[in-house]
Amino acid sequence: MKAIQKLGLGIFLLALLLFNALLFMGQFRLTEAQLQESVKQEHVEVLRQELQPMLGETYSSSFSFATDFNRLLDNYNEEQQRSQQWDRVIWDDYAFALARVASQGFVENNKLLLLFLTIIVGAAGALLYILPQYRGEPAGVKNNGVMFSSNKSRGVVGITIGVYLTAIYVLLYWYPEYIVNWALLVDPLSYTLSGGPASQWFLYGTIYTLAILVMGVRMFRKYKGNNYQLLRTASVMFFQLSFAFLIPEILVVLNLPWYDLKNIWPLDYDFFFEYSVASMLGSGSAGLFLFIWGILLIIVAVPLFTYFYGKRWYCSWVCGCGGLAETAGDPYRHLSDKSLKAWKVERWMVYPILVIITVITLLTIANYFTEFALLKQSTDMLHQWYGFLIGAAFAGVVGVGFYPLMGNRVWCRFGCPLAAYIGIVQRYKSRFRITTNGGQCISCGNCSTYCEMGIDVRWYAQRGQNIVRASCVGCGICASVCPRGVLKLENGPEQGRITDIPFLTGNESIKVLN
């Protein structure tokens, strides 16, 4: 089995090496005809003049092509800004679109082959490494050696992975023109699903979904025999593949807006922004259904499902962010900060973010109904800053790139406004709780160690006190790693749900509180 795992790891690393090498392959040559087809009509003449030095020139990589394009366009825009001719500034980002149409040579001509050799073969290699794990071992959670692993204990491997993931997110969000070859790889899949070329976001969705599916198989191996973990892993795999990946592409084929049916405001922060509303309401009865569906999720589904099942119904069973955290992020769950200071930082971050996006949304709606007389176009600036700081930098770059450094729920714990909204409902109006049997607790600390949300579960278990915390996502790992069966996830009557047991057990033996 070790030989098969080494083979699988070798195949995965070779596929990853080729995947990265593709960024420096191929050629790029932009013609006037391609320029005219790819930009707005009002920008054609200006760009033809400004980009004259690179038209017809052959570039050896996307980096050299994009660098030249950005330099020439920046020079033009800076000149217009200096002369205060703001109406002539080109705000549109054409770098990715022009890099796509200018691509030629090896990558452009071998998309399907390279898709197979990188993404498909890489996934197959990962599965060869994963499937033999825990074979022949009895059911039960195995976390052997995690504190000695260079990957799982903030060692060189873990830091390297973190830097690599962070770099990918930076390129994806702000410099997609440099990864155009990666987008070309998934063109065959994009044309099959929606009939159009792949954007950087289709590339992201493909790799994101594949990561959840492949690492979901790892969860099946690691948590075999634990029905709760197997079911919720299957659930996040299903919702990501269907609701977040396939169905939105089918909607595009039907000439409807791209829409993730499980994404809920305020996580889906631009749901009420003018362009989103116009896109849905301009798509007929089906678009109106999507708009009403999104509103019902906010005001009906969240409070109703959270009342009966707690925060876990969404954060651990449905959400895409949670799906990646629970599968690809599982090896890093023990790295979450359990200190009191971290809990205070959490409260002073996640709830203000909920307030900020709520205020921005209300201002946007008010501005819309006053026909932009209230704030004119100022709300656009608010949208851009929130999208940059929270939607991209926090949720993406920090939220995933910092898995190997701060654990797998950095975004969910410190930044997700939907997690804050659902958490408030869970804390004050829900039937969900984690019950404890303090008499059986041996204070081993496994529960606290592997709590991805940084909750000191042992503190509650030692006291036999129910765990009712707004941040708890109900993943159930604390109960899974407990060797004594102390913890149990339950839905019961609200009465008596929040307990304050007057008997404390621990170093002071038994102490009765007055």
Side-chain angles (χ1 to χ4, degrees):
M1 293 303 170
K2 291 291 184 181
I4 294 177
Q5 285 188 286
K6 289 180 180 178
L7 175 63
L9 182 59
I11 291 173
F12 173 78
L13 291 177
L14 286 174
L16 181 62
L17 181 63
L18 176 59
F19 183 71
N20 291 322
L22 289 179
L23 294 181
F24 306 94
M25 295 182 182
Q27 294 180 331
F28 295 81
R29 184 175 182 272
L30 182 65
T31 65
E32 287 192 21
Q34 291 171 332
L35 177 66
Q36 189 167 350
E37 292 175 359
S38 305
V39 303
K40 294 178 180 178
Q41 192 60 40
E42 61 264 30
H43 294 151
V44 171
E45 190 56 38
V46 172
L47 288 175
R48 182 185 289 121
Q49 294 177 9
E50 298 300 323
L51 301 180
Q52 195 62 42
M54 64 184 299
L55 290 177
E57 292 291 321
T58 300
Y59 293 85
S60 58
S61 72
S62 61
F63 288 88
S64 56
F65 176 89
T67 300
D68 255 16
F69 172 82
N70 290 330
R71 176 179 57 82
L72 293 171
L73 185 60
D74 288 346
N75 288 342
Y76 167 78
N77 282 335
E78 288 171 5
E79 183 179 342
Q80 305 311 312
Q81 291 170 8
R82 281 195 298 269
S83 59
Q84 301 293 308
Q85 298 187 49
W86 299 101
D87 58 324
R88 300 192 62 183
V89 174
I90 298 177
W91 301 104
D92 301 80
D93 188 359
Y94 291 123
F96 179 82
L98 291 178
R100 268 198 64 95
V101 299
S103 176
Q104 56 183 233
F106 179 68
V107 178
E108 174 68 25
N109 298 332
N110 297 279
K111 297 176 185 177
L112 196 58
L113 174 63
L114 292 173
L115 173 64
F116 173 78
L117 291 177
T118 54
I119 295 178
I120 297 176
V121 169
L127 289 173
L128 276 177
Y129 179 80
I130 290 169
L131 289 173
Q133 289 185 329
Y134 312 111
R135 186 180 294 274
E137 297 181 9
V141 181
K142 310 295 190 304
N143 286 307
N144 302 333
V146 293
M147 300 303 179
F148 300 97
S149 168
S150 181
N151 176 27
K152 303 173 185 176
S153 60
R154 301 188 182 99
V156 174
V157 174
I159 293 173
T160 302
I161 293 174
V163 170
Y164 179 72
L165 291 174
T166 300
I168 287 179
Y169 270 90
V170 170
L171 291 173
L172 179 74
Y173 280 112
W174 298 298
Y175 305 100
E177 59 270 24
Y178 295 113
I179 58 172
V180 68
N181 279 350
W182 286 353
L184 292 173
L185 280 184
V186 291
D187 260 357
L189 183 58
S190 180
Y191 276 107
T192 300
L193 291 177
S194 63
S199 65
Q200 74 266 36
W201 302 119
F202 183 83
L203 165 72
Y204 179 49
T206 301
I207 296 178
Y208 196 103
T209 301
L210 192 61
I212 290 178
L213 296 179
V214 171
M215 294 301 285
V217 174
R218 175 188 173 276
M219 292 287 287
F220 289 148
R221 299 298 301 150
K222 181 177 180 179
Y223 296 99
K224 60 181 180 179
N226 189 316
N227 291 334
Y228 183 80
Q229 300 302 330
L230 298 181
L231 283 172
R232 76 181 187 90
T233 299
S235 176
V236 295
M237 292 168 71
F238 165 77
F239 278 103
Q240 177 61 32
L241 179 61
S242 57
F243 279 53
F245 186 66
L246 294 178
I247 293 177
E249 298 299 325
I250 294 173
L251 291 176
V252 172
V253 173
L254 299 175
N255 202 28
L256 293 170
W258 191 100
Y259 185 71
D260 181 352
L261 290 169
K262 63 175 179 53
N263 209 5
I264 307 175
W265 182 92
L267 177 60
D268 183 14
Y269 61 89
D270 61 355
F271 180 80
F272 289 106
F273 291 179
E274 180 196 4
Y275 56 85
S276 295
V277 175
S279 176
M280 286 184 282
L281 297 185
S283 300
S285 57
L288 179 61
F289 167 79
L290 294 177
F291 185 62
I292 295 174
W293 168 269
I295 294 175
L296 290 177
L297 286 177
I298 301 166
I299 62 176
V300 177
V302 166
L304 186 64
F305 281 101
T306 305
Y307 173 75
F308 285 106
Y309 304 109
K311 196 173 181 178
R312 57 178 169 167
W313 79 269
Y314 189 80
C315 295
S316 288
W317 288 71
V318 175
C319 179
C321 303
L324 190 70
E326 294 296 339
T327 52
D330 179 72
Y332 308 109
R333 64 172 60 249
H334 58 285
L335 299 178
S336 60
D337 192 340
K338 279 78 176 177
S339 67
L340 181 62
K341 181 180 179 181
W343 177 57
K344 291 180 178 178
V345 171
E346 172 191 326
R347 289 187 302 163
W348 282 105
M349 286 186 69
V350 71
Y351 297 112
I353 289 175
L354 172 60
V355 172
I356 289 170
I357 188 55
T358 301
V359 171
I360 290 175
T361 301
L362 291 175
L363 288 175
T364 300
I365 295 173
N367 201 35
Y368 178 81
F369 280 108
T370 58
E371 297 182 348
F372 300 95
L374 180 63
L375 296 171
K376 301 188 184 305
Q377 300 301 321
S378 298
T379 51
D380 290 344
M381 182 178 66
L382 296 176
H383 301 166
Q384 291 171 6
W385 275 107
Y386 185 90
F388 171 76
L389 293 174
I390 307 301
F394 201 160
V397 178
V398 175
V400 178
F402 282 32
Y403 274 7
L405 304 177
M406 298 177 64
N408 60 327
R409 287 279 190 172
V410 182
W411 161 247
C412 310
R413 181 181 179 187
F414 295 100
C416 179
L418 179 57
Y421 169 33
I422 301 177
I424 292 172
V425 179
Q426 173 172 270
R427 176 63 177 79
Y428 295 104
K429 194 64 179 178
S430 176
R431 293 164 54 88
F432 173 74
R433 83 291 307 271
I434 300 177
T435 59
T436 62
N437 181 355
Q440 292 294 316
C441 179
I442 58 174
S443 298
C444 66
N446 280 352
C447 52
S448 294
T449 298
Y450 294 101
C451 177
E452 59 193 358
M453 297 302 290
I455 299 172
D456 187 3
V457 181
R458 180 173 59 178
W459 188 90
Y460 294 89
Q462 289 172 330
R463 291 158 175 75
Q465 187 171 332
N466 289 350
I467 301 170
V468 182
R469 289 280 292 271
S471 58
C472 177
V473 294
C475 68
I477 295 297
C478 58
S480 300
V481 299
C482 178
R484 301 279 290 175
V486 173
L487 305 164
K488 186 178 180 181
L489 280 67
E490 293 185 1
N491 299 312
E494 286 187 75
Q495 185 177 5
R497 173 171 165 263
I498 299 176
T499 58
D500 186 12
I501 307 299
F503 294 95
L504 302 183
T505 61
N507 294 333
E508 301 180 15
S509 185
I510 297 178
K511 180 179 179 181
V512 181
L513 300 180
N514 296 323

